Amino acid sequence: MLTRKPGSDPETILAQVPGYVVAVLAVGLALLVKLLLDPLIDEESPFLLFFGAVIIGTWFGGLGPGLLATALATLTAGYFFLSPTYPLLVDDFGQVLRLALFVLEGAFISVLVAIMRSARRQSEARTLQSRRDQEDLRRSEERFRATFEQAAVGIAHVGFGGEWLRVNQKLCDIVGYTREELLERTFQDITHPDDLQDNLDLFVPLMTGEISTFSIEKRYFREEGSIVWIDLTVSAACDGGGKPSYTIAVIEDITERKRVEEAQRFLVEAGMALSSSLDHRATLASVAHLAVPYLADWCVVDVLKEDDSLDRVAVAHQDPEKVAWAYELQERYPPDVDSSYGVGRALRTGRPELVAEISKPLLEEAARDAEHREILQNLGIESYLIVPLVARGRMLGAVTLVSAESGWRYGPADLELAEELARRAALAVDNARLYRERSETAHALQSSLLPSGFPDVPGVEVGLRYLPAGE
């Protein structure tokens, strides 16, 4: 198979033509200038201007045009300026030697200039490639920065000491810190203590290269103190030698998913507790204790009695001494059914009441006297939520959830969960009431079916017992 030699294709040949044209023109120009200046210069220097032509031809065309310029300059100088002038052949040995030296010098100059030209072009090519590489790097960094900053999840570069090296805005939004505040901390500073050791147990083998990545669900403390659940995936970033130098962390906020999972688990536990007893007081007490501390710091359950007064059947708090104190306080300041807010309002309207933040005017309005105001202030109540207990259209009472020392602020999600808990509790209480009424009815019916007296039979003791059919 025939192949073309490098540089023999038509495009390459056409690209070289201008260089040869420049070489010919340079020699012609040198000849013209030499002819014009020759009468004015006494010193014989036939080759001086032709060296310039050789340099120009080589610089603009390369080695080939430079050698062509050398050849043309040799013929031109020999023909026009070496004696005898205008011969076709030079037979003087001295003149031949001069022409030979010019050819060698011209060839040397051509090679030298060609090398310089090639070096210059290579330098320009390297400079151009460097600029292209820098532009590609800049664009790559811009794409990375855009991906890093605009990602829908938190992304961070973390050193093996736990320090944040670089964080994106999404991570700052998740944990509530500014970028500057976060870079002054370590991930250990904002990790929940119960989750820290599990995180470190996975972090150490990542540092040593035993594993390349790991994932874990854990909790961070937000800047204001609340807890956020995150799904954390960490990978090692290695240096040129393959040694881990820092880590890349991807953080996704899963607080809402965890809230739904925990709410479902809480409702399952509540359902089991509500079905464990037919005593309505025990049932409501179990509701109160389930709510603390998952839903509230305090939980109070009030039931409407037949005379429309309130019976406080349960008070729950993690501290038993505070529970006893709350009962004493209730004796001094019983709940007001006719109040325009709180339990009284919820019972009258049948609608829940959610106060996300306790304002000072509301605290003033709730206080019965100066001592009561001081007590309420010392409790440190942050937020409260009241849901009525309604079953089959009948108002049974209300459940009050109070946030105090935890600092939690109730929201729509908490209201939805509390309403579902109250609905289940109300049905359990109503079922217990129906069972009690049915049992009392059955007992009265049994008593009415038994005879009022028994005949006396000497030597025989007579007794009666009601036995339902089918038993």
Side-chain angles (χ1 to χ4, degrees):
M1 183 177 178
L2 296 176
T3 58
R4 290 182 177 179
K5 294 182 179 180
S8 63
D9 58 283
E11 292 182 0
T12 303
I13 293 174
L14 289 174
Q16 293 174 349
V17 168
Y20 288 97
V21 173
V22 169
V24 173
L25 293 176
V27 173
L29 180 62
L31 173 61
L32 178 61
V33 173
K34 177 64 177 173
L35 291 173
L36 293 174
L37 296 180
D38 197 52
L40 304 176
I41 302 175
D42 295 333
E43 184 179 354
E44 184 180 356
S45 54
F47 302 110
L48 183 61
L49 291 175
F50 292 108
F51 282 124
V54 172
I55 294 172
I56 292 173
T58 306
W59 185 258
F60 286 98
L63 181 60
L67 295 176
L68 175 62
T70 301
L72 291 176
T74 302
L75 295 174
T76 302
Y79 185 80
F80 286 98
F81 304 110
L82 296 182
S83 59
T85 57
Y86 311 117
L88 294 176
L89 295 173
V90 178
D91 54 4
D92 186 346
F93 179 76
Q95 302 294 8
V96 171
L97 183 60
R98 292 181 68 185
L99 288 173
L101 288 174
F102 175 75
V103 170
L104 292 175
E105 291 172 347
F108 176 75
I109 291 173
S110 296
V111 172
L112 182 62
V113 173
I115 292 173
M116 293 173 60
R117 178 176 181 268
S118 177
R120 177 177 174 270
R121 289 197 168 187
Q122 290 178 5
S123 176
E124 290 176 348
R126 285 194 296 270
T127 301
L128 181 60
Q129 186 61 42
S130 176
R131 290 176 180 174
R132 290 174 178 172
D133 292 342
Q134 290 177 359
E135 181 64 19
D136 291 342
L137 179 60
R138 184 186 64 80
R139 291 177 180 176
S140 177
E141 289 179 347
E142 287 180 353
R143 287 193 294 269
F144 168 77
R145 190 178 298 110
T147 302
F148 190 87
E149 290 298 335
Q150 299 175 17
V153 295
I155 304 177
H157 293 171
V158 185
F160 284 115
E163 66 277 8
W164 302 100
L165 304 176
R166 184 174 186 176
V167 296
N168 70 347
Q169 186 57 45
K170 182 62 178 180
L171 176 57
C172 295
D173 295 340
I174 290 174
V175 297
Y177 287 96
T178 65
R179 196 184 305 264
E180 293 73 19
E181 290 173 338
L182 201 54
L183 292 177
E184 293 175 354
R185 290 166 171 78
T186 65
F187 80 81
Q188 295 95 323
D189 293 333
I190 65 172
T191 298
H192 194 285
D194 295 343
D195 300 334
L196 183 57
Q197 190 58 49
D198 291 339
N199 196 169
L200 293 176
D201 290 343
L202 292 169
F203 203 71
V204 171
L206 188 71
M207 293 170 55
T208 59
E210 297 177 36
I211 59 175
S212 60
T213 184
F214 70 83
S215 295
I216 187 176
E217 291 183 357
K218 57 180 282 189
R219 288 163 290 181
Y220 279 152
F221 286 114
R222 287 178 55 84
E223 190 275 336
E224 83 282 1
S226 64
I227 290 176
V228 56
W229 273 97
I230 58 132
D231 180 50
L232 173 67
T233 301
V234 182
S235 301
C238 299
D239 56 21
K243 182 179 178 181
S245 57
Y246 64 94
T247 64
I248 302 173
V250 178
I251 299 102
E252 180 182 2
D253 186 350
I254 59 170
T255 304
E256 181 61 21
R257 192 193 81 194
K258 280 291 186 179
R259 186 194 68 79
V260 172
E261 291 175 355
E262 292 180 2
Q264 292 299 322
R265 184 164 53 248
F266 171 76
L267 290 175
V268 169
E269 294 177 358
M272 295 174 61
L274 292 172
S275 62
S276 64
S277 174
L278 290 174
D279 181 355
H280 78 281
R281 299 185 75 90
T283 298
L284 293 174
S286 67
V287 169
H289 287 93
L290 275 172
V292 175
Y294 177 72
L295 271 179
D297 297 313
W298 291 88
C299 181
V300 178
V301 182
D302 295 299
V303 172
L304 273 175
K305 296 194 291 186
E306 295 295 332
D307 60 356
D308 288 337
S309 62
L310 286 178
D311 179 17
R312 182 151 292 177
V313 298
V315 175
H317 190 277
Q318 287 186 299
D319 187 348
E321 294 184 359
K322 288 189 175 182
V323 173
W325 173 81
Y327 275 114
E328 293 177 4
L329 185 64
Q330 187 255 339
E331 292 294 329
R332 296 174 57 187
Y333 302 102
D336 184 4
V337 180
D338 299 323
S339 175
S340 60
Y341 57 87
V343 175
R345 180 177 177 274
L347 293 176
R348 287 196 309 276
T349 62
R351 293 195 300 269
E353 181 175 328
L354 187 157
V355 177
E357 183 177 1
I358 304 294
S359 64
K360 187 174 181 180
L362 181 61
L363 201 64
E364 292 287 341
E365 184 180 355
R368 307 284 180 84
D369 52 38
E371 184 181 359
H372 192 208
R373 182 188 306 108
E374 184 178 356
I375 292 173
L376 293 177
Q377 290 174 345
N378 292 335
L379 281 174
I381 300 174
E382 296 287 342
S383 180
Y384 75 81
L385 178 61
I386 301 173
V387 286
L389 294 168
V390 182
R392 299 179 178 89
R394 180 184 176 188
M395 180 63 68
L396 303 179
V399 177
T400 303
L401 304 173
V402 178
S403 169
E405 51 264 31
S406 67
W408 182 255
R409 302 288 175 84
Y410 290 121
D414 302 300
L415 175 60
E416 182 180 353
L417 179 58
E419 286 183 310
E420 178 61 21
L421 176 63
R423 184 187 68 80
R424 297 187 182 196
L427 285 176
V429 170
D430 196 56
N431 288 337
R433 178 186 62 82
L434 292 175
Y435 177 82
R436 185 176 64 254
E437 290 177 354
R438 189 181 68 174
S439 298
E440 291 174 354
T441 301
H443 180 72
L445 187 60
Q446 293 172 18
S447 298
S448 66
L449 293 175
L450 295 176
S452 58
F454 307 104
D456 293 330
V457 179
V460 178
E461 184 176 348
V462 180
L464 295 175
R465 183 168 67 93
Y466 177 83
L467 184 65
E471 294 187 3

